Amino acid sequence: LVGGAHGAGDANEAPQVYRFGVFPHLPPSRLEKVYLPVALDFRRALGRDIEFRASGSFARFSERLAAEAYDIVLLQPFDYVWAHDQHGYLPVARRSEDLTAIIIVKHDSAIQSLKDLRGKVLASPPRSAAVSFLSREAMGAAGLRPGKDVTVQYVRSHYSCLQKVLIGKADACGTARQSMRLAEPQLKNAFRIIFETPAIPQVLFAVHERVPERDRERIRDTVLGWATSPEGQKILTQGSMAPFVPATDDEYDRVRRIRHQEGD
């Protein structure tokens, strides 16, 4: 999927190679398994090479996003509003289902509600992850101060969060339903959901403004078309993804408000 040199491009000339990035909600090996078929489909639709980059950490992904290194990117909502407002990324298509954070505990845990987390340890993906924003908002609404009433342990990924609970290093984990669906089969019945947050618009594909409009439209049409083609349905199934719908920036205004409330 890699070839040629990457050029910045302008409104009339596309880069020779498009760089495609995905936020690290899975270990790198799983990201490659799920998203290499996406890169191949983009190559088919665009008629140019796609360089797929799987970041191993949220920090590295954020650095690349801030450097505007990606031409095409799948990112979570809180990263999107920052990338749009500060770095020129434009929305293309979002998952049709809404995004929530779920707070999970082991099946045999005595914890029944958010208030029972007082004095406990909550594992969470990195602080900048969407579910981490939503979990902090939920704890605040329940009268809990993250870092004071509840010890929050930020870990490398959603999968690490689940493992922390499984091995008893954390009492609960703030994660997403898709991460639960993608968990190893032996983990799926190990947990119980005690709380689910109000919804926000889902994870989305965005493109940098340097990508010509004709290619933005091809990317959008490709992603929206997955729901109606056998190959596209395989992509959705492998990633446990709902079909995509067109995305607009104003749908993410609530996400902006939550982010701004934290001073970001």
Side-chain angles (χ1 to χ4, degrees):
L1 292 180
V2 181
H6 184 273
D10 56 29
N12 299 310
E13 182 181 354
Q16 295 176 358
V17 178
Y18 280 139
R19 289 178 176 170
F20 169 42
V22 176
F23 74 110
H25 61 292
L26 297 169
S29 61
R30 293 295 304 278
L31 285 176
E32 291 181 359
K33 182 178 180 180
V34 172
Y35 293 104
L36 276 176
V38 174
L40 287 168
D41 207 28
F42 287 158
R43 184 174 71 173
R44 175 199 58 77
L46 296 167
R48 65 179 64 248
D49 285 331
I50 304 292
E51 178 183 330
F52 173 62
R53 292 192 165 193
S55 294
S57 71
F58 277 85
R60 182 59 179 146
F61 175 78
S62 296
E63 288 173 5
R64 289 174 174 167
L65 199 57
E68 302 176 20
Y70 302 119
D71 300 293
I72 309 166
V73 63
L74 181 72
L75 71 176
Q76 56 97 341
F78 290 90
D79 279 344
Y80 162 71
V81 296
W82 166 68
H84 173 275
D85 297 349
Q86 302 294 327
H87 298 289
Y89 283 89
L90 305 174
V92 174
R94 62 172 174 83
R95 291 179 189 161
S96 55
E97 60 184 5
D98 286 333
L99 173 64
T100 62
I102 54 174
I103 309 297
I104 60 97
V105 297
K106 288 182 71 172
H107 260 303
D108 58 358
S109 172
I111 297 172
Q112 300 295 326
S113 69
L114 281 182
K115 292 185 177 181
D116 294 337
L117 291 177
R118 188 178 298 273
K120 305 295 185 181
V121 176
L122 174 74
S124 184
R127 182 179 178 84
S128 61
V131 297
S132 299
F133 275 100
L134 293 175
S135 297
R136 290 192 296 271
E137 184 190 41
M139 285 189 285
L144 299 172
R145 296 166 297 174
K148 295 185 178 180
D149 299 316
V150 181
T151 299
V152 182
Q153 288 185 355
Y154 294 108
V155 296
R156 186 183 184 94
S157 67
H158 289 264
Y159 194 74
S160 299
C161 186
L162 297 173
Q163 286 183 315
K164 282 278 189 181
V165 176
L166 194 66
I167 65 176
K169 296 294 186 179
D171 300 291
C173 163
T175 187
R177 285 189 177 272
Q178 188 199 19
S179 299
M180 289 285 289
R181 292 197 296 265
L182 286 170
E184 295 296 329
Q186 64 266 29
L187 300 186
K188 290 183 178 179
N189 297 318
F191 305 108
R192 173 167 49 84
I193 298 171
I194 63 165
F195 186 80
E196 185 165 16
T197 68
I200 60 173
Q202 255 285 7
V203 165
L204 71 159
F205 282 97
V207 297
H208 195 272
E209 61 188 0
R210 65 176 167 259
V211 174
E213 184 174 359
R214 66 180 183 275
D215 282 353
R216 294 179 213 162
E217 292 175 352
R218 288 170 183 159
I219 293 165
R220 180 200 62 206
D221 293 346
T222 298
V223 174
L224 299 183
W226 288 339
T228 56
S229 72
E231 294 78 11
Q233 289 172 7
K234 289 179 183 177
I235 288 173
L236 295 175
T237 299
Q238 186 156 296
S240 295
M241 295 182 285
F244 285 75
V245 297
T248 60
D249 181 68
D250 58 3
E251 294 177 294
Y252 291 85
D253 283 345
R254 178 171 177 261
V255 177
R256 282 189 176 86
R257 288 194 294 271
I258 296 173
R259 185 168 180 131
H260 290 162
Q261 285 169 3
E262 291 204 5
D264 289 344

